[in-house]
Structure formats: structure tokens, C-alpha cells
């Protein structure tokens, strides 16, 4: 079991994020991205017997990592239902700190059966919750050309999105695209040797975001932190790509996702948060060397007013 915990996911910016939570004794914390439980176990180490920690995860695999600790409550759910569950447990508006590490667990990329990585062949799945919802294969086989182009352009930031969507639609007319191998074969004309990995990473990211409705879920969760955190409560978020980071940055600085700042009579920006770190925190060179998957991570910390 211990080996599973260590290999599931290496927590990114562990010390920096825990420092950002400003853990106090007898307080209530939420880890909305439980995963391998790395951040949660460290939070529990710093909490006294009166403290409480809630961990959210919709992935059945994450349940193998639940710590046997009476202070920990596991919530088997997407974090977009944060407020409902906190209200159910009677702590809405009482939470002292909330952590969201938005990265996909190493476990998912390394499990060939989940379909998150182009390094393996297997089902084109990509669902975080394998019990429900459409797969990446469903999307590439059923979405209209226009809808596919939007997914690749908006979530993968691919300039060739329209041409890629057109090729997918033409190909699926004669053969269903069911596996990672099938998909890689279809998009081969776009993957020149010099940019192959980057293109594949962007295309897979786009499908994964669409499959799991990640952007909308993130917005819903962030808005609900205002009902869940108490005044002075900390919000600590680690992002891994520009789409996520833009949403988080705008929300923390202005209280909305467009980044439109409203000012009071005296010219002060009206926002529900006070930034704890005005300058974004990134991993050290040592951490990137130790864990290359941390290289794109950005940490932002704010305190609810």
C-alpha cells in the first residue's frame, strides 16, 4: 500500500502550498483534489486532534489512498459540488483553508488503461470518473466538425484546430476511432518530428478537458469557495496550464473570470480576496529536476476578506 501511495502522485510544491494554507490547530481544511493523498497526509501531520480535513475525489482509484484517520472525511465527488457537501457536513462558511492541486495525477498518465497518455495504446477514454460520462472516443466519433474544432482551439490552443477536426470527421466516416493508436494514426499528418510531443500534448489536453468538463467545474468550485471559506480563510491553488491559471488569477484578483475590476468610490478594487502572494510562486530548479512534471506549475494564494 505504501508503494502505491508514493508512486500514485508526487505532490507539487508541497511545502509552499502547506505554508500558504497557514494551518492552525483545531481548524477545518479541504483538499478538493485528494488523488494520491500526498497533500492531505501532510496536512493531517500538522493538525491537532480537534482539526478536520475533507478530501474530494471522483476517481475510484483514489479511494485506495484514504488514510485511516478519524479526522479525515473522504467525499467521493467532483469538486464542483463543494458547497453541497460542506453544507451536508455542517461546515459551509466554517472552512479555514482550501487546497486545489489541479494537475492530473502521475498515476493517470502512467496507467495505460485510462487513455490519458499518448505513450501507450489502449482505449481512448480519459474520464476521471470511470463510472459515468462520455469518453474521448465518444467525442471524436460524435461531435460535429465545428464542435471538435472549438475543443481543439479553445482547450488545446491548436492553430490547426479546423483542419484537424475536418480530418477526424472524414476518417471516422469509414472507420470508428476507438483507441489511442487509432487517434494517433489519424493526426499523424500534423505531428512533424520537431513539434510532435507538443502537438500531441495539446491535442490530448483538449480532449481531457472536454471529457471531464474541467473548465466549467473549476469555475463552479472557485465561486463556491466564497460560501465555504470563513473570513480570513485561505485559498491555495496550483495550476498547470494557461487556461486554468488565467481563470484562477482573474478570480482571485477581481472576483470574476473575465478579470474586470470594479472600483469603489475611492478607486479601490472590489474583490472578495486579499492576495497573499502578489507574485506567482513556481517550483524551484531542484524540484523540477526531481519531478519534471512540476515544471509548468503555478501556485497562487489568497485570503477571503
Amino acid at each position: 500500500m505504501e508503494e502505491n501511495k508514493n508512486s500514485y502522485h508526487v505532490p507539487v510544491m508541497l511545502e509552499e502550498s502547506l505554508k500558504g494554507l497557514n494551518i492552525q490547530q483545531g481548524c477545518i481544511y479541504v483538499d478538493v483534489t485528494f488523488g494520491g493523498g500526498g497533500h492531505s497526509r501532510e496536512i493531517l501531520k500538522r493538525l491537532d486532534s480537534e482539526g478536520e480535513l475533507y478530501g474530494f475525489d471522483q476517481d475510484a482509484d483514489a479511494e485506495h489512498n484514504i488514510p485511516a484517520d478519524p479526522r479525515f472525511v473522504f467525499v467521493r465527488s467532483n469538486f464542483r459540488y463543494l458547497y453541497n457537501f460542506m453544507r451536508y457536513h455542517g461546515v459551509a462558511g466554517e472552512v479555514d483553508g482550501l487546497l486545489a492541486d489541479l494537475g492530473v495525477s502521475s498515476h493517470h498518465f502512467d496507467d495505460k488503461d485510462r487513455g490519458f497518455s499518448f505513450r501507450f495504446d489502449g482505449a481512448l477514454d480519459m474520464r476521471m470518473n470511470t463510472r459515468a460520462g462520455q469518453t474521448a472516443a465518444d467525442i471524436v466519433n460524435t461531435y460535429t466538425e465545428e464542435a471538435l474544432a472549438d475543443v481543439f482551439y479553445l482547450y488545446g490552443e491548436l492553430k490547426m484546430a479546423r483542419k484537424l477536426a475536418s480530418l477526424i470527421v472524414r476518417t471516422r466516416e469509414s472507420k470508428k476511432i476507438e483507441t489511442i493508436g487509432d487517434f494517433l494514426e489519424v493526426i499523424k499528418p500534423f505531428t512533424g518530428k520537431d513539434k510532435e510531443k507538443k502537438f500531441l500534448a495539446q491535442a490530448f489536453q483538449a480532449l481531457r478537458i472536454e471529457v471531464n468538463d474541467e473548465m466549467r467545474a473549476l469555475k463552479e468550485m472557485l465561486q463556491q469557495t466564497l460560501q465555504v471559506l470563513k473570513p480570513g480563510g485561505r485559498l491555495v491553488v496550483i495550476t498547470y496550464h494557461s487556461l486554468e491559471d488565467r481563470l484562477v488569477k482573474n478570480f482571485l484578483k477581481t472576483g470574476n473570470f473575465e478579470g474586470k475590476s470594479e472600483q469603489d468610490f475611492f478607486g479601490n478594487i472590489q474583490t472578495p480576496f486579499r492576495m497573499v502572494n502578489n507574485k506567482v510562486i513556481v517550483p524551484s530548479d531542484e524540484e523540477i529536476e526531481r519531478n519534471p512534471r512540476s515544471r509548468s506549475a503555478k501556485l497562487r494564494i489568497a485570503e477571503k476578506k
Side-chain angles (χ1 to χ4, degrees):
M1 184 67 169
E2 204 54 47
E3 182 191 3
N4 180 38
K5 285 176 183 173
N6 291 335
S7 60
Y8 192 102
H9 187 61
V10 180
V12 172
M13 288 191 276
L14 184 60
E15 283 307 314
E16 296 91 331
S17 54
L18 290 185
K19 187 181 174 190
L21 278 176
N22 190 28
I23 296 168
Q24 305 293 320
Q25 301 314 308
C27 290
I28 301 168
Y29 296 90
V30 183
D31 178 354
V32 295
T33 48
F34 176 71
H39 284 105
S40 280
R41 277 191 296 280
E42 288 301 318
I43 293 169
L44 288 168
K45 280 182 193 174
R46 299 169 197 219
L47 271 183
D48 63 359
S49 59
E50 300 301 309
E52 293 175 42
L53 174 63
Y54 295 84
F56 278 71
D57 211 296
Q58 61 183 331
D59 184 1
D61 288 353
E63 295 174 36
H64 301 304
N65 304 316
I66 296 172
D69 191 312
R71 300 167 299 168
F72 181 79
V73 177
F74 183 76
V75 181
R76 185 202 267 192
S77 174
N78 188 302
F79 59 39
R80 73 195 313 164
Y81 304 112
L82 171 68
Y83 175 69
N84 284 349
F85 280 98
M86 293 298 92
R87 190 178 59 177
Y88 171 76
H89 288 288
V91 294
E94 302 295 322
V95 172
D96 296 275
L98 185 145
L99 170 72
D101 176 358
L102 301 175
V104 178
S105 289
S106 305
H107 164 77
H108 290 123
F109 284 126
D110 295 337
D111 183 346
K112 60 179 173 37
D113 297 323
R114 299 296 294 270
F116 285 95
S117 174
F118 48 81
R119 291 180 294 130
F120 313 107
D121 196 9
L124 194 60
D125 193 319
M126 299 195 197
R127 288 173 300 166
M128 293 289 184
N129 179 2
T130 53
R131 296 176 287 254
Q134 61 184 354
T135 67
D138 294 330
I139 286 168
V140 297
N141 286 295
T142 63
Y143 274 31
T144 64
E145 186 175 319
E146 187 180 8
L148 275 175
D150 284 347
V151 168
F152 289 119
Y153 183 73
L154 294 172
Y155 298 152
E157 300 179 285
L158 287 169
K159 294 184 179 117
M160 311 284 277
R162 287 195 181 284
K163 288 181 178 175
L164 176 59
S166 175
L167 182 58
I168 288 170
V169 170
R170 286 202 310 275
T171 305
R172 76 189 189 195
E173 284 170 4
S174 55
K175 182 182 183 295
K176 206 171 175 192
I177 303 162
E178 295 182 304
T179 66
I180 292 167
D182 293 342
F183 184 64
L184 292 180
E185 191 61 37
V186 174
I187 67 175
K188 201 182 266 182
F190 297 95
T191 55
K193 273 284 170 235
D194 54 334
K195 293 179 181 171
E196 180 181 22
K197 273 194 175 170
K198 189 182 180 199
F199 185 91
L200 291 175
Q202 288 171 289
F204 272 65
Q205 172 183 291
L207 286 176
R208 191 199 79 226
I209 289 173
E210 179 67 12
V211 166
N212 297 292
D213 198 19
E214 289 178 28
M215 291 297 118
R216 199 154 38 191
L218 175 58
K219 285 181 177 180
E220 290 172 16
M221 183 272 288
L222 288 171
Q223 286 169 325
Q224 290 169 48
T225 61
L226 296 173
Q227 299 167 279
V228 165
L229 289 168
K230 61 161 61 166
R234 291 283 182 94
L235 178 55
V236 177
V237 187
I238 305 171
T239 63
Y240 293 83
H241 56 77
S242 57
L243 302 172
E244 286 175 343
D245 191 55
R246 201 176 304 129
L247 285 182
V248 173
K249 178 183 173 184
N250 286 344
F251 185 71
L252 296 185
K253 290 195 169 176
T254 65
N256 60 65
F257 300 114
E258 296 74 38
K260 292 175 184 165
S261 53
E262 293 181 15
Q263 298 181 345
D264 64 16
F265 180 76
F266 301 101
N268 301 310
I269 292 176
Q270 299 285 83
T271 168
F273 292 102
R274 178 185 72 79
M275 296 304 296
V276 173
N277 63 316
N278 281 314
K279 192 169 184 284
V280 70
I281 299 168
V282 295
S284 65
D285 292 340
E286 293 78 18
E287 177 166 8
I288 292 170
E289 196 173 328
R290 198 170 63 245
N291 179 16
R293 284 177 176 157
S294 71
R295 67 185 175 274
S296 57
K298 290 181 176 177
L299 171 63
R300 297 185 186 276
I301 306 161
E303 193 171 276
K304 186 184 166 191
K305 288 180 177 175

